Amino acid sequence: MRLTVLAGGIGGSTFLRGLLKARPDAEITVIGNTADDITLFGLRVCPDLDTVMYTLGDGISKERGWGREDETWVIKEELAAYGMEPTWFGLGDRDVATHLVRTQMLDAGYGLTAVTEALCTRWNLPVRLLPMSDDRVETHVVVDDPDNPGTRKAIHFQEYWVRLHAEVTAHKIVAVGQEKAKPAPGVLDAIAECDVLLVPPSNPVVSVGTILGVPGIREAVRETAAPVIGLSPIIGTGPVRGMADKVLAAVGVQSTAAAVAQYYGSRAAGGVLDGWLIDTSDAAQLGAIVAAGIHAQAVPLWMTDETKTAAMADAALTLAEAVRR
Ligand code: GDP
Ligand code: CA
């Protein structure tokens, strides 16, 4: 069975662990979000690709959910001692090696797809991990400029998310470079030729939204013969973890499972979903989702351990069979 998954960082990779447990023999292609990417101290950092790589390669810090296990922070401390900015981004020593390899290969002219494949070889990844695009796309967030009251400025998503903890109002979210970006090699085929396309409980705006926003990808999702099934990252009235509610508000979407389903839209009406799983505690929203033309079901959606996450993946694949045209 060929499965294609559109993934952000923590939500996407946690779901993938469950999917691998539920379907160990599936041929899985992951299309990763690269709009979180940032260049720091000359190093190209791809947070979401690395979270997927380290998680599925068993190298992730289980405590933090990002970066490496057994990490040390000497480079970060030394940079701070030189007064180098930014100090708010966690670059661990082991992690830096990944960024050095990536930057060196990019500088030598390799595309991000080839670089990612090379990095993943070391980790014996049980999936094929593709960046959404080899072209640079970077999410920026428009916020009030504290230095110039009454005016606004755009800052990199990482500054908004990591330094400011999404605590300032996001007026607008802009994926810089997106309109000129092309899907990476293999991405459109992975969408067209899979048996099921899965949208894990990843951030609908700055993870899945930026992947779908690469010209050609949303269209490919609309046209694939495979059923497209998503799982809600929102349970109750907020994200399960993280600050997805803040970026949903910036695009005018309420933080509920039904509102996110409507934001993605039904494929029958020009959107991207055939089916949507919501948490059992949100079962009252099933009617609204079905009314939007999306098959829906309520199952437990807390990814508290791999067995529970595998059950979620299984439910998504069962729903896929029920809606297959
Ligand atoms: P990021 O790139 O690291 O922010 O990760 P993703 O975009 O892949 O996923 C972030 C989303 O995962 C957040 O909106 C969370 O609400 C969601 N999430 C995290 N843990 C869980 C969980 O156990 N269940 C569900 N349903 N969603 C979760
Ligand atoms: Ca991310």
Side-chain angles (χ1 to χ4, degrees), residues 9 33 36 48 207:
N33 172 47
D36 281 15
D48 285 0
S207 292

Side-chain angles (χ1 to χ4, degrees), residues 8-12 48 201-203 207 232-233 235 239-241 244 301-303:
I10 294 182
D48 285 0
S202 280
N203 190 305
S207 292
S232 178
I235 297 179
V240 176
R241 63 190 270 179
L301 284 192
W302 288 91
M303 300 191 285

Side-chain angles (χ1 to χ4, degrees), residues 49-132:
L49 293 182
D50 288 348
T51 296
V52 172
M53 182 171 81
Y54 294 155
T55 301
L56 302 187
D58 278 332
I60 197 86
S61 159
K62 291 186 185 66
E63 189 196 329
R64 289 191 309 275
W66 56 268
R68 296 285 308 279
E69 193 73 296
D70 299 323
E71 189 57 284
T72 54
W73 304 91
V74 176
I75 295 172
K76 189 173 192 276
E77 286 157 25
E78 288 294 316
L79 287 167
Y82 281 113
M84 293 288 281
E85 293 285 344
T87 51
W88 43 263
F89 197 89
L91 278 183
D93 300 332
R94 290 181 189 277
D95 196 26
V96 162
T98 303
H99 312 318
L100 282 168
V101 174
R102 175 184 294 122
T103 306
Q104 189 177 35
M105 284 188 74
L106 289 171
D107 287 349
Y110 291 95
L112 187 59
T113 305
V115 174
T116 304
E117 188 182 347
L119 288 169
C120 288
T121 305
R122 172 200 165 178
W123 295 98
N124 286 316
L125 232 58
V127 303
R128 182 168 64 127
L129 175 60
L130 302 176
M132 67 192 199

Side-chain angles (χ1 to χ4, degrees), residues 6 178 183 188 191 197 204 208-224 263-265 267 270-272:
L6 310 181
Q178 189 168 50
L188 296 182
I191 294 169
L197 182 66
V208 179
T210 43
I211 299 173
L212 291 171
V214 174
I217 294 189
R218 188 185 300 274
E219 294 72 10
V221 172
R222 281 189 188 138
E223 284 160 21
T224 182
Y263 175 63
Y264 281 134
R267 280 218 293 171
V272 295

